[in-house]
C-alpha cells in the first residue's frame, strides 16, 4: 500500500521515468522476496524478533549515510548549496 501511494505520487507529479519503472518493479519484488525469506530464516533459527528492528534501523542508517554523500557531492559540484526548488517551493 505504501509503495503504491509513493509510486502514484511520482506519476502524478511527472517524476517517474517510465523507462526505469519495469526494472525498479522487478528489483523491488526481488528484494522483497529475498528480504522476507532471509529475515524469516534468521527469526526461526535464532528465535529473536529483534532482527526486524535491526534491519529497519540499518536501512534508515544506510539511507541517511547515502543522502549525506549525495548532498556533499552535489554541493561540491555546484560550488555550494542550491536555493530551494521543486514541488514544495513551486519553482523549477
Amino acid at each position: 500500500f505504501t509503495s503504491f501511494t509513493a509510486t502514484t505520487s511520482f506519476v502524478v507529479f511527472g517524476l517517474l521515468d517510465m523507462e526505469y519503472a519495469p526494472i525498479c518493479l522487478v528489483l523491488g519484488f526481488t528484494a522483497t522476496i529475498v528480504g522476507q525469506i532471509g529475515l524469516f530464516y534468521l527469526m526461526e533459527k535464532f528465535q529473536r524478533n529483534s532482527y526486524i528492528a535491526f534491519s529497519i534501523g540499518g536501512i534508515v542508517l544506510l539511507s541517511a549515510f547515502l543522502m549525506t554523500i549525495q548532498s556533499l557531492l552535489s554541493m561540491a559540484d555546484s560550488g555550494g548549496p542550491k536555493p530551494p526548488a521543486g514541488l514544495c517551493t513551486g519553482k523549477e
Side-chain angles (χ1 to χ4, degrees):
F1 180 73
T2 304
S3 61
F4 175 74
T5 305
T7 304
T8 303
S9 296
F10 275 86
V11 170
V12 166
F13 291 115
L15 299 173
L16 181 64
D17 187 353
M18 289 300 185
E19 291 181 11
Y20 290 128
I23 296 168
C24 290
L25 178 74
V26 171
L27 182 63
F29 276 117
T30 304
T32 300
I33 291 169
V34 170
Q36 285 290 327
I37 292 170
L39 202 55
F40 181 76
Y41 171 77
L42 286 175
M43 288 173 48
E44 286 292 316
K45 183 176 181 181
F46 297 109
Q47 297 296 313
R48 297 192 61 173
N49 291 334
S50 59
Y51 292 115
I52 296 171
F54 290 149
S55 65
I56 293 171
I59 295 297
V60 170
L61 181 65
L62 178 65
S63 174
F65 179 70
L66 292 175
M67 286 191 303
T68 301
I69 290 173
Q70 177 63 39
S71 178
L72 292 173
L73 290 174
S74 293
M75 286 174 34
D77 189 39
S78 66
K82 295 180 182 178
L87 294 176
C88 296
T89 60
K91 301 175 187 175
E92 291 188 32

